[in-house]
Amino acid sequence: MGLLDSFEKGLERAVNGAFAKTFKSGLQPIEITSALRRELDTKAAVVARDRILVPNRFTVRLSSADFAKMTAIGPTLVDELSRLVQQHAAAQHYQFSGGISIELAEDGTLTQGVLGIDSVSVKGTVSWTPVLDVAGKRYPIVKSRTIIGRGHDADITVDDTGISRKHVEILWDGTRAEVNDLGSTNGSQLNGSPVHKAPLAPDSVINIGRTRIVFRVLAQSASAYQFSDLRAGDDGAGGRR
């Protein structure tokens, strides 16, 4: 489950565009999600019967305290916000003029619990970034073949005695993905069914041992966040790449 997925829709707050609102319990990630969704709905522009354009570049202004708290969550927060903006736009049949870019910015004029959203439409090329969420940690797919397993020679090492040293591989050709079980002892499941080899659609769930893997594809602009803390050989989470 994603970082924000556990929040109920009923918890969403109405944040109208750049309007700032105070939250008694302090700012939470769900409040940013609500603000971004409302920004899309408020700024949606009907340019044709089947074409509704919305902003694709967002600046989330936060107080110093909230900025420190949100950035401490790490890059996964921005990734999740981008994914949820993408999902909301798809559900409402909105279209972007370019890739999604979300930036968190510190605003010293705001008090804790207050946020502001600035957004613009920027034309550009969409960069589709595939990622794997493995046991709650996010890994960008940077190779055509990514092996997941318990062994240290796997691209992504998972501490799970229920999986094989090289359990599954994810193949990515730039537009499509595939999952292959590598003859593991306990087998693999794709969306709840046993799998040996199958195409991998976005948001598919792979289960191996006690480990849950979610395949996602994020739409980002060239200037969007690019996993700067996940470098070859060090995923920042104890795994090897």
Side-chain angles (χ1 to χ4, degrees):
M1 181 173 291
L3 178 66
L4 306 179
D5 290 345
S6 62
F7 290 95
E8 296 293 334
K9 275 189 174 182
L11 294 179
E12 293 185 359
R13 305 291 196 266
V15 181
N16 188 7
F19 176 72
K21 183 173 181 179
T22 302
F23 306 101
K24 293 181 180 179
S25 60
L27 197 64
Q28 299 297 322
I30 185 62
E31 311 297 354
I32 301 177
T33 303
S34 302
L36 290 168
R37 287 172 173 167
R38 179 56 61 91
E39 185 75 0
L40 289 178
D41 295 339
T42 302
K43 297 289 186 65
V46 179
V47 297
R49 186 175 64 178
D50 59 348
R51 185 166 172 80
I52 305 175
L53 288 179
V54 290
N56 63 310
R57 183 166 295 179
F58 305 88
T59 300
V60 181
R61 294 181 287 106
L62 305 168
S63 70
S64 297
D66 288 327
F67 178 78
K69 181 170 67 173
M70 294 302 166
T71 53
I73 295 175
T76 299
L77 175 61
V78 173
D79 296 340
E80 287 291 323
L81 293 174
S82 299
R83 184 177 67 83
L84 292 172
V85 164
Q86 181 180 339
Q87 286 184 346
H88 182 66
Q92 301 299 321
H93 305 290
Y94 296 154
Q95 296 181 31
F96 301 104
S97 59
I100 300 169
S101 172
I102 299 177
E103 177 185 3
L104 304 183
E106 184 175 4
D107 187 337
T109 67
L110 299 178
T111 57
Q112 187 172 12
V114 175
L115 66 84
I117 300 287
D118 299 322
S119 66
V120 294
S121 292
V122 179
K123 189 174 182 179
T125 303
V126 176
S127 173
W128 296 100
T129 305
V131 300
L132 294 170
D133 287 346
V134 183
K137 300 179 179 64
R138 177 155 290 179
Y139 303 84
I141 295 177
V142 296
K143 302 193 301 182
S144 60
R145 182 179 188 235
T146 301
I147 297 175
I148 305 171
R150 183 166 47 87
H152 289 295
D153 52 348
D155 296 301
I156 299 177
T157 301
V158 183
D159 185 12
D160 183 342
T161 57
I163 68 177
S164 301
R165 293 182 61 83
K166 291 185 178 181
H167 198 108
V168 295
E169 65 177 3
I170 307 299
L171 304 180
W172 172 255
D173 66 3
T175 57
R176 293 179 299 274
E178 181 178 281
V179 58
N180 294 329
D181 184 274
L182 298 175
S184 64
T185 301
N186 296 324
S188 306
Q189 289 190 334
L190 175 61
N191 298 324
S193 299
V195 64
H196 296 287
K197 179 178 181 179
L200 198 57
D203 297 322
S204 294
V205 177
I206 305 165
N207 289 100
I208 57 174
R210 300 182 304 276
T211 300
R212 184 175 187 267
I213 303 167
V214 182
F215 170 72
R216 307 189 193 280
V217 180
L218 306 178
Q220 297 180 315
S221 65
S223 60
Y225 169 71
Q226 293 293 322
F227 303 98
S228 59
D229 71 329
L230 296 177
R231 303 184 185 278
D234 182 9
D235 59 31
R240 291 172 60 88
R241 295 185 50 76

